[in-house]
Structures are given as C-alpha cells and as structure tokens.
Amino acid sequence: MIIDTQITPDENVMNFFPPKALIKSGKAEFVDTKSLRKSPLAEHIFDIGGIVSVFITSEMLSVTKSSDATWDVIKPQVMAEIMDYLSTGEEVLPDDNENSDVVAQIKGLINARIRPAVKQDGGDIVFCDFKDGVVWVEMQGSCKGCPYAMVTLKEGVEKILKTYISEVREVRNIGSLEE
C-alpha cells in the first residue's frame, strides 16, 4: 500500500494521502483527549508522541507535530497506523448516522427532563456518547463528587432513558465514579 506524503510550508505539518478515503465525507480535527475518543486512528497517532493535532478529510490526513519532534521518527509510524486501519476495514471515524435519531431522543430527554432536576441540586449532566446500547454521560458540578450520584445515575437517569428509548440498555458516567 502506497501512502503519498506532502511537506507543507509549515515544517511541523505533513499531509498523508492514502490510496482510499479515510472518511466518507466532511472533516474532523483532533487536538485534545476529549476529541480523540471519536477516532481510534487519531488516538493511535497521538500515542506515537510529539503530535499536536490530527486533521482528517476524505482525501487526506494532516498531522501537526511539536517543534522538538522529528519527521524521521514520526512519519513511518503515522504511515503504519494509517495502513493498519485501512487493512482492518475499521472505521477511522465511526459513522453515527444509524444512531442519530436515538441520540437526538436521548439528548432531548436529558435536556427536558433530567438536567433541570440535576441542576436544582447544583450539578449538571452532559451527554457524551451512545454506543452499543450504552449512554455515556458526564456528571458535573456538585453531582461529580456526590455519594448519591450513582443512585441518581442508575435509578433516575437510566430508568427514564430505558423507559422511553428501547435502544438504551445502560447509562454510565465517564468520570471517576465507575472506573
């Protein structure tokens, strides 16, 4: 598999052009750990070290390295990660279209019925992801460290979401409560 590369006017940025599309359409940029959760490929590239950002379109992947890192070390590793993902057939940026209606329902219920109640106690709850029947949320504010947060999560949030949305099997907090 041949992956063409292109040095840009910025010596810390290199573009990689794989033989087939990495994503179907649009673009995605990854600059921090929160955004990395959306793309296993971007996460693996960041794991190489010395990476500042990854930008993906259907035609290319652009990597920005830190000024103290060298392309001699990073370039072959990025190419290897791209080849691995293309050979496995795994989605570089998993397509959430099949879940878009369910996600909209989840967000709607959280915003309309759950957040107002949680906010009354000085906390907040934010939708993060929905995958394989599991809704991932982040408990914030006073709810983050509250000893009753798990009860609220399981007996309140999970019960409401499972009652109204059949695709929901479980609700989990991305924070330290369930690690």
mmCIF file of all heavy atoms in Angstrom, residues 122-147:
data_model
loop_
_atom_site.group_PDB
_atom_site.id
_atom_site.type_symbol
_atom_site.label_atom_id
_atom_site.label_comp_id
_atom_site.label_asym_id
_atom_site.label_seq_id
_atom_site.Cartn_x
_atom_site.Cartn_y
_atom_site.Cartn_z
ATOM 1 N N GLY A 122 -27.553 21.675 42.181
ATOM 2 C CA GLY A 122 -26.251 22.317 41.983
ATOM 3 C C GLY A 122 -25.301 21.553 41.080
ATOM 4 O O GLY A 122 -24.108 21.822 41.057
ATOM 5 N N GLY A 123 -25.835 20.619 40.320
ATOM 6 C CA GLY A 123 -24.990 19.837 39.424
ATOM 7 C C GLY A 123 -25.452 19.970 37.988
ATOM 8 O O GLY A 123 -26.276 20.810 37.648
ATOM 9 N N ASP A 124 -24.910 19.119 37.171
ATOM 10 C CA ASP A 124 -25.306 19.077 35.770
ATOM 11 C C ASP A 124 -24.978 17.702 35.217
ATOM 12 O O ASP A 124 -24.177 16.958 35.794
ATOM 13 C CB ASP A 124 -24.579 20.156 34.957
ATOM 14 C CG ASP A 124 -25.305 20.499 33.655
ATOM 15 O OD1 ASP A 124 -26.375 19.904 33.374
ATOM 16 O OD2 ASP A 124 -24.812 21.364 32.922
ATOM 17 N N ILE A 125 -25.607 17.364 34.122
ATOM 18 C CA ILE A 125 -25.339 16.106 33.433
ATOM 19 C C ILE A 125 -25.247 16.431 31.955
ATOM 20 O O ILE A 125 -26.094 17.139 31.419
ATOM 21 C CB ILE A 125 -26.426 15.038 33.723
ATOM 22 C CG1 ILE A 125 -26.089 13.711 33.046
ATOM 23 C CG2 ILE A 125 -27.802 15.534 33.338
ATOM 24 C CD1 ILE A 125 -26.960 12.553 33.496
ATOM 25 N N VAL A 126 -24.197 15.939 31.303
ATOM 26 C CA VAL A 126 -23.954 16.243 29.904
ATOM 27 C C VAL A 126 -23.831 14.943 29.117
ATOM 28 O O VAL A 126 -23.085 14.033 29.508
ATOM 29 C CB VAL A 126 -22.656 17.076 29.754
ATOM 30 C CG1 VAL A 126 -22.360 17.357 28.297
ATOM 31 C CG2 VAL A 126 -22.755 18.368 30.538
ATOM 32 N N PHE A 127 -24.557 14.854 28.015
ATOM 33 C CA PHE A 127 -24.460 13.707 27.120
ATOM 34 C C PHE A 127 -23.090 13.702 26.453
ATOM 35 O O PHE A 127 -22.623 14.734 25.971
ATOM 36 C CB PHE A 127 -25.551 13.775 26.048
ATOM 37 C CG PHE A 127 -25.396 12.740 24.970
ATOM 38 C CD1 PHE A 127 -25.890 11.462 25.153
ATOM 39 C CD2 PHE A 127 -24.744 13.022 23.788
ATOM 40 C CE1 PHE A 127 -25.743 10.493 24.164
ATOM 41 C CE2 PHE A 127 -24.585 12.073 22.791
ATOM 42 C CZ PHE A 127 -25.091 10.806 22.985
ATOM 43 N N CYS A 128 -22.435 12.536 26.417
ATOM 44 C CA CYS A 128 -21.121 12.417 25.772
ATOM 45 C C CYS A 128 -21.147 11.498 24.555
ATOM 46 O O CYS A 128 -20.581 11.832 23.528
ATOM 47 C CB CYS A 128 -20.083 11.903 26.770
ATOM 48 S SG CYS A 128 -19.799 13.043 28.123
ATOM 49 N N ASP A 129 -21.810 10.323 24.673
ATOM 50 C CA ASP A 129 -21.767 9.361 23.577
ATOM 51 C C ASP A 129 -22.860 8.314 23.764
ATOM 52 O O ASP A 129 -23.372 8.113 24.873
ATOM 53 C CB ASP A 129 -20.394 8.684 23.544
ATOM 54 C CG ASP A 129 -20.108 7.963 22.222
ATOM 55 O OD1 ASP A 129 -20.861 8.146 21.247
ATOM 56 O OD2 ASP A 129 -19.114 7.227 22.167
ATOM 57 N N PHE A 130 -23.194 7.634 22.673
ATOM 58 C CA PHE A 130 -24.094 6.487 22.719
ATOM 59 C C PHE A 130 -23.506 5.424 21.822
ATOM 60 O O PHE A 130 -23.298 5.647 20.633
ATOM 61 C CB PHE A 130 -25.495 6.863 22.231
ATOM 62 C CG PHE A 130 -26.430 5.686 22.150
ATOM 63 C CD1 PHE A 130 -26.861 5.041 23.296
ATOM 64 C CD2 PHE A 130 -26.860 5.212 20.926
ATOM 65 C CE1 PHE A 130 -27.715 3.947 23.221
ATOM 66 C CE2 PHE A 130 -27.710 4.128 20.832
ATOM 67 C CZ PHE A 130 -28.139 3.495 21.993
ATOM 68 N N LYS A 131 -23.185 4.282 22.397
ATOM 69 C CA LYS A 131 -22.569 3.204 21.619
ATOM 70 C C LYS A 131 -22.956 1.859 22.220
ATOM 71 O O LYS A 131 -22.878 1.662 23.425
ATOM 72 C CB LYS A 131 -21.050 3.362 21.621
ATOM 73 C CG LYS A 131 -20.344 2.417 20.697
ATOM 74 C CD LYS A 131 -18.872 2.741 20.599
ATOM 75 C CE LYS A 131 -18.234 1.828 19.582
ATOM 76 N NZ LYS A 131 -16.854 2.152 19.332
ATOM 77 N N ASP A 132 -23.358 0.932 21.371
ATOM 78 C CA ASP A 132 -23.712 -0.433 21.779
ATOM 79 C C ASP A 132 -24.727 -0.464 22.920
ATOM 80 O O ASP A 132 -24.618 -1.261 23.841
ATOM 81 C CB ASP A 132 -22.455 -1.212 22.173
ATOM 82 C CG ASP A 132 -21.450 -1.319 21.046
ATOM 83 O OD1 ASP A 132 -21.883 -1.428 19.886
ATOM 84 O OD2 ASP A 132 -20.237 -1.279 21.322
ATOM 85 N N GLY A 133 -25.707 0.436 22.859
ATOM 86 C CA GLY A 133 -26.754 0.463 23.871
ATOM 87 C C GLY A 133 -26.382 1.183 25.155
ATOM 88 O O GLY A 133 -27.195 1.274 26.073
ATOM 89 N N VAL A 134 -25.170 1.687 25.235
ATOM 90 C CA VAL A 134 -24.705 2.366 26.454
ATOM 91 C C VAL A 134 -24.660 3.869 26.211
ATOM 92 O O VAL A 134 -24.045 4.338 25.256
ATOM 93 C CB VAL A 134 -23.309 1.870 26.888
ATOM 94 C CG1 VAL A 134 -22.827 2.610 28.125
ATOM 95 C CG2 VAL A 134 -23.330 0.367 27.136
ATOM 96 N N VAL A 135 -25.335 4.603 27.085
ATOM 97 C CA VAL A 135 -25.302 6.061 27.043
ATOM 98 C C VAL A 135 -24.203 6.504 28.000
ATOM 99 O O VAL A 135 -24.196 6.135 29.181
ATOM 100 C CB VAL A 135 -26.648 6.673 27.494
ATOM 101 C CG1 VAL A 135 -26.562 8.195 27.530
ATOM 102 C CG2 VAL A 135 -27.779 6.212 26.596
ATOM 103 N N TRP A 136 -23.263 7.278 27.480
ATOM 104 C CA TRP A 136 -22.177 7.815 28.302
ATOM 105 C C TRP A 136 -22.485 9.271 28.611
ATOM 106 O O TRP A 136 -22.744 10.064 27.708
ATOM 107 C CB TRP A 136 -20.839 7.711 27.555
ATOM 108 C CG TRP A 136 -20.390 6.297 27.412
ATOM 109 C CD1 TRP A 136 -20.651 5.450 26.372
ATOM 110 C CD2 TRP A 136 -19.620 5.539 28.334
ATOM 111 N NE1 TRP A 136 -20.088 4.224 26.598
ATOM 112 C CE2 TRP A 136 -19.444 4.256 27.794
ATOM 113 C CE3 TRP A 136 -19.052 5.837 29.580
ATOM 114 C CZ2 TRP A 136 -18.727 3.259 28.443
ATOM 115 C CZ3 TRP A 136 -18.335 4.842 30.228
ATOM 116 C CH2 TRP A 136 -18.184 3.573 29.666
ATOM 117 N N VAL A 137 -22.491 9.601 29.889
ATOM 118 C CA VAL A 137 -22.747 10.968 30.325
ATOM 119 C C VAL A 137 -21.617 11.403 31.254
ATOM 120 O O VAL A 137 -20.825 10.576 31.725
ATOM 121 C CB VAL A 137 -24.095 11.085 31.073
ATOM 122 C CG1 VAL A 137 -25.253 10.753 30.154
ATOM 123 C CG2 VAL A 137 -24.127 10.236 32.317
ATOM 124 N N GLU A 138 -21.568 12.702 31.491
ATOM 125 C CA GLU A 138 -20.603 13.217 32.455
ATOM 126 C C GLU A 138 -21.373 13.983 33.519
ATOM 127 O O GLU A 138 -22.105 14.919 33.218
ATOM 128 C CB GLU A 138 -19.591 14.135 31.783
ATOM 129 C CG GLU A 138 -18.561 14.676 32.752
ATOM 130 C CD GLU A 138 -17.503 15.529 32.080
ATOM 131 O OE1 GLU A 138 -17.687 15.938 30.909
ATOM 132 O OE2 GLU A 138 -16.481 15.788 32.736
ATOM 133 N N MET A 139 -21.218 13.541 34.768
ATOM 134 C CA MET A 139 -21.818 14.231 35.897
ATOM 135 C C MET A 139 -20.891 15.383 36.246
ATOM 136 O O MET A 139 -19.683 15.203 36.359
ATOM 137 C CB MET A 139 -21.987 13.290 37.089
ATOM 138 C CG MET A 139 -22.822 12.056 36.793
ATOM 139 S SD MET A 139 -24.537 12.404 36.402
ATOM 140 C CE MET A 139 -25.201 12.675 38.023
ATOM 141 N N GLN A 140 -21.465 16.581 36.429
ATOM 142 C CA GLN A 140 -20.655 17.760 36.694
ATOM 143 C C GLN A 140 -21.167 18.497 37.926
ATOM 144 O O GLN A 140 -22.241 18.205 38.436
ATOM 145 C CB GLN A 140 -20.673 18.703 35.483
ATOM 146 C CG GLN A 140 -20.104 18.090 34.237
ATOM 147 C CD GLN A 140 -20.207 19.037 33.038
ATOM 148 O OE1 GLN A 140 -21.026 19.932 33.004
ATOM 149 N NE2 GLN A 140 -19.357 18.804 32.045
ATOM 150 N N GLY A 141 -20.388 19.483 38.351
ATOM 151 C CA GLY A 141 -20.779 20.304 39.491
ATOM 152 C C GLY A 141 -20.834 19.485 40.764
ATOM 153 O O GLY A 141 -20.028 18.583 40.981
ATOM 154 N N SER A 142 -21.827 19.766 41.600
ATOM 155 C CA SER A 142 -21.922 19.058 42.875
ATOM 156 C C SER A 142 -22.220 17.576 42.704
ATOM 157 O O SER A 142 -21.947 16.773 43.591
ATOM 158 C CB SER A 142 -22.987 19.708 43.768
ATOM 159 O OG SER A 142 -24.260 19.557 43.173
ATOM 160 N N CYS A 143 -22.751 17.194 41.556
ATOM 161 C CA CYS A 143 -23.046 15.774 41.298
ATOM 162 C C CYS A 143 -21.776 14.949 41.087
ATOM 163 O O CYS A 143 -21.783 13.742 41.291
ATOM 164 C CB CYS A 143 -23.937 15.626 40.078
ATOM 165 S SG CYS A 143 -25.592 16.247 40.332
ATOM 166 N N LYS A 144 -20.710 15.612 40.664
ATOM 167 C CA LYS A 144 -19.483 14.895 40.334
ATOM 168 C C LYS A 144 -18.925 14.123 41.525
ATOM 169 O O LYS A 144 -18.502 12.998 41.387
ATOM 170 C CB LYS A 144 -18.431 15.870 39.785
ATOM 171 C CG LYS A 144 -17.259 15.198 39.159
ATOM 172 C CD LYS A 144 -16.394 16.203 38.451
ATOM 173 C CE LYS A 144 -15.322 15.486 37.654
ATOM 174 N NZ LYS A 144 -14.609 16.382 36.776
ATOM 175 N N GLY A 145 -18.935 14.712 42.686
ATOM 176 C CA GLY A 145 -18.371 14.034 43.853
ATOM 177 C C GLY A 145 -19.402 13.566 44.854
ATOM 178 O O GLY A 145 -19.065 13.083 45.929
ATOM 179 N N CYS A 146 -20.654 13.688 44.502
ATOM 180 C CA CYS A 146 -21.737 13.344 45.428
ATOM 181 C C CYS A 146 -21.835 11.832 45.629
ATOM 182 O O CYS A 146 -21.802 11.073 44.669
ATOM 183 C CB CYS A 146 -23.049 13.883 44.877
ATOM 184 S SG CYS A 146 -24.500 13.396 45.824
ATOM 185 N N PRO A 147 -21.973 11.393 46.890
ATOM 186 C CA PRO A 147 -22.102 9.951 47.143
ATOM 187 C C PRO A 147 -23.392 9.358 46.559
ATOM 188 O O PRO A 147 -23.482 8.164 46.363
ATOM 189 C CB PRO A 147 -22.085 9.834 48.662
ATOM 190 C CG PRO A 147 -22.338 11.205 49.187
ATOM 191 C CD PRO A 147 -21.963 12.179 48.124
#
